[in-house]
Amino acid sequence: MAIHSAIRTPADLAGSGWYGLLPEPPPPRVLEGSTKADWVVVGGGFAGLAAARRLTQLQPGSRIVVLDAQRIGWGAAGRNSGFMIDLPHELASDNYAGGRDHDLKQIRMNRAAIEFAAGAAAEYGLDPYFVRAGKYHGAATERGQRVLKEFEEHLARLGEPFESLSAEDLRRVTGTAYYAGGTFTPGTVMIQPAAYIRGVAGGLAGKAEIFENSPVVSIRSEATHVLSTPKGEIETPRVIMTVNGQVESFGFFRHQLMHIFLYASMSRRLTGPEMSRLGGDDFWGLIPADPLGSTVRRFGDRLVVRNSCTYNPSMQASRRQVESFGAAHDRSFRERFPMLPGVDAEFRWAGHLCLSLNSTPAFGEMERGLFSACCCNGLGTVKGTLYGKLIADLAAGSDEPMVRDALAEPAPRKLYPEPFMSLGAKAKLWWLQKRAGREM
Ligand SMILES: Cc1cc2nc3c(=O)[nH]c(=O)nc-3n(C[C@H](O)[C@H](O)[C@H](O)COP(=O)(O)OP(=O)(O)OC[C@H]3O[C@@H](n4cnc5c(N)ncnc54)[C@H](O)[C@@H]3O)c2cc1C
């Protein structure tokens, strides 16, 4: 018998603005007592809900249970910037571009995932939160403009559509004259992440059962798996772990996963006169030319800024970090929106992102009947959806060809030994953020 005890469970601080905009959810259903299920999915983010939804399609009528340690949408799934990007988007690269064949395959897989998510959005009536708006890239510096030029040349080689934008084009859309130029690509879907993820969970009602505030603290594996939570336990032949970086807390993929925290702030509601002074469209998302720059979004009468990242092997960001990076958000906000003095942030938050050194996920069957679709790397709204769906295909024995592609990817590479890993990661993040300069 193997026992996998969790040395920690997630405890995300301060709710995101996306979560804060939604009405308070009804009280959670918490797992209590002993029960059995055909399938247990651990984690109710993009990967977990995609896996659960796929299982409802492949094995309707079976008992599918999802357990999440927190409320649905409270974790990273409801804390991100909401860009579901179809193109390669390698946070660790200098310019979002990779090799041609690799990128063409990635685009195919990303689009399959976006269409799977679109199916859920249509089926569960989530269209207002799932908008095929495309994305803007903005460059504030000469280096940024060079990076976007290379990006456009790469898109042309891939045969992907894009539009080059002047400073004035970008100002017309965003209201800010901060950017010297940019690029528009049409395939990105912009979501309200907390609304989308909660909506998918709601849509699964009646087909899958979702228990919240029910952290799995141990898994006892013999012929079947028994998962324990503080108030209950559940026995099942098949477990799908979709807990992102927390999979390491159970002893899996040790020293293979990097735990990064990203930080964001959302403004208070803009008044009518403030929106007139700002101008531009009322719904857009802009990605910086430098991957470590500021992502900026307008969502109706709110503006959202995301920048700054830290390496936290403890898997926890502190309140102090959230506050201190808030100052960086305010600076970026003031530089871009000088016409909006006195517009403060109403929400500030941090969220956990899991990366691997070779950008591959922790995907596959770890032990008999114990599957993982974790560490989906930077583009987790899309890759989480993708690998969540594919792990359900694999576990249920469906012959989806992309499963083979996913299984062919190498495992996450071993990290360097400590303290070199932490020192190196922190130094690299410091340098990359410094290099981002005015793109931040
Ligand atoms: C500020 C920020 C901005 C981002 N912007 C973008 C973006 O624009 N586009 C993009 O694609 N990605 C973005 N990301 C990344 C994206 O949010 C993640 O990659 C994505 O949420 C990963 O999905 P997931 O389902 O794999 O994991 P998660 O969303 O982290 O879900 C895992 C779930 O597992 C639960 N869990 C963990 N441990 C346990 C346990 N022991 N028992 C039960 N449940 C457990 C957690 O509570 C959580 O709900 C951003 C992230 C952050 C923080």
Side-chain angles (χ1 to χ4, degrees):
M1 181 170 66
I3 300 183
H4 308 287
S5 299
I7 56 169
R8 66 175 84 73
T9 56
D12 285 296
L13 298 173
S16 73
W18 304 114
Y19 194 93
L21 294 184
L22 300 177
E24 199 47 39
R29 185 175 175 205
V30 175
L31 185 73
E32 290 180 353
S34 293
T35 185
K36 291 187 178 195
D38 300 304
W39 294 93
V40 176
V41 177
V42 187
F46 286 90
L49 296 184
R53 178 158 182 273
R54 184 64 177 151
L55 289 174
T56 65
Q57 296 171 339
L58 294 170
Q59 305 213 337
S62 61
R63 185 172 186 216
I64 301 160
V65 165
V66 178
L67 299 174
D68 200 288
Q70 310 182 92
R71 298 307 307 264
I72 297 292
W74 186 260
R79 287 169 182 260
N80 60 75
S81 304
F83 290 72
M84 291 193 96
I85 298 175
D86 57 337
L87 299 171
H89 184 78
E90 188 55 66
L91 282 185
S93 87
D94 283 344
N95 56 8
Y96 302 114
R100 188 169 188 279
D101 289 348
H102 170 272
D103 281 0
L104 287 173
K105 182 170 152 202
Q106 197 61 67
I107 291 169
R108 208 172 52 246
M109 291 176 97
N110 290 353
R111 289 194 175 142
I114 289 175
E115 289 320 308
F116 188 72
E123 191 178 336
Y124 308 145
L126 305 176
D127 289 349
Y129 305 122
F130 185 93
V131 182
R132 293 184 189 270
K135 70 174 182 329
Y136 296 89
H137 288 251
T141 60
E142 272 178 31
R143 185 178 160 274
Q145 285 180 283
R146 273 200 310 278
V147 166
L148 287 190
K149 181 116 189 24
E150 281 169 27
F151 177 57
E152 290 181 356
E153 286 164 3
H154 186 63
L155 291 177
R157 280 194 297 275
L158 295 175
E160 286 297 328
F162 65 87
E163 203 184 319
S164 299
L165 303 172
S166 65
E168 178 53 21
D169 293 333
L170 267 185
R171 196 202 54 76
R172 257 199 307 275
V173 174
T174 62
T176 171
Y178 189 75
Y179 297 100
T183 307
F184 175 77
T185 66
T188 291
V189 171
M190 299 297 301
I191 57 172
Q192 201 293 30
Y196 170 80
I197 210 76
R198 253 162 66 171
V200 174
L204 286 169
K207 297 180 197 147
E209 294 165 62
I210 299 185
F211 294 91
E212 299 172 85
N213 292 355
S214 301
V216 173
V217 292
S218 77
I219 305 173
R220 235 169 37 245
S221 301
E222 233 172 336
T224 59
H225 305 278
V226 179
L227 292 86
S228 300
T229 65
K231 294 187 177 163
E233 64 172 33
I234 184 161
E235 183 179 351
T236 180
R238 282 151 312 190
V239 180
I240 295 184
M241 300 290 284
T242 52
V243 293
N244 204 353
Q246 290 286 348
V247 72
E248 191 183 334
S249 302
F250 291 87
F252 299 109
F253 301 100
R254 287 185 65 205
H255 308 304
Q256 289 170 272
L257 311 180
M258 295 186 287
H259 304 287
I260 303 290
F261 277 75
L262 302 183
Y263 300 82
S265 295
M266 181 185 278
S267 73
R268 66 156 167 79
R269 295 181 69 173
L270 304 182
T271 61
E274 283 167 344
M275 285 194 280
S276 307
R277 283 208 303 278
L278 171 62
D281 298 344
D282 62 4
F283 188 96
W284 48 263
L286 182 144
I287 298 231
D290 186 298
L292 271 287
S294 293
T295 295
V296 188
R297 248 190 102 165
R298 177 154 174 206
F299 188 76
D301 54 9
R302 308 268 184 170
L303 284 158
V304 186
V305 175
R306 185 203 63 70
N307 65 39
S308 308
C309 58
T310 55
Y311 182 69
N312 296 25
S314 64
M315 300 192 205
Q316 187 68 53
S318 66
R319 283 186 200 286
R320 214 167 127 230
Q321 284 177 312
V322 175
E323 280 314 312
S324 74
F325 294 118
H329 301 153
D330 291 348
R331 196 167 49 248
S332 301
F333 185 97
R334 282 195 305 272
E335 286 170 358
R336 284 163 178 76
F337 306 110
M339 71 298 271
L340 299 175
V343 174
D344 296 327
E346 182 173 342
F347 301 95
R348 296 198 196 281
W349 66 95
H352 183 180
L353 185 76
C354 181
L355 304 182
S356 59
L357 275 176
N358 49 345
S359 304
T360 55
F363 180 88
E365 188 168 10
M366 301 184 288
E367 290 175 9
R368 198 164 55 84
L370 188 51
F371 297 85
S372 164
C374 297
C375 189
C376 297
N377 283 283
L379 190 54
T381 64
V382 173
K383 290 189 182 164
T385 302
L386 174 73
Y387 292 113
K389 174 190 175 288
L390 294 181
I391 201 73
D393 281 313
L394 173 71
S398 112
D399 60 356
E400 161 64 62
M402 278 189 196
V403 170
R404 280 195 297 280
D405 290 339
L407 286 173
E409 295 191 60
R413 219 167 70 203
K414 276 272 179 224
L415 304 183
Y416 305 106
E418 288 298 348
F420 305 107
M421 184 64 215
S422 289
L423 289 172
K426 286 175 186 172
K428 184 161 182 192
L429 283 179
W430 178 85
W431 156 241
L432 289 176
Q433 291 182 82
K434 197 165 167 47
R435 193 186 65 172
R438 267 174 50 79
E439 303 298 349
M440 204 159 142

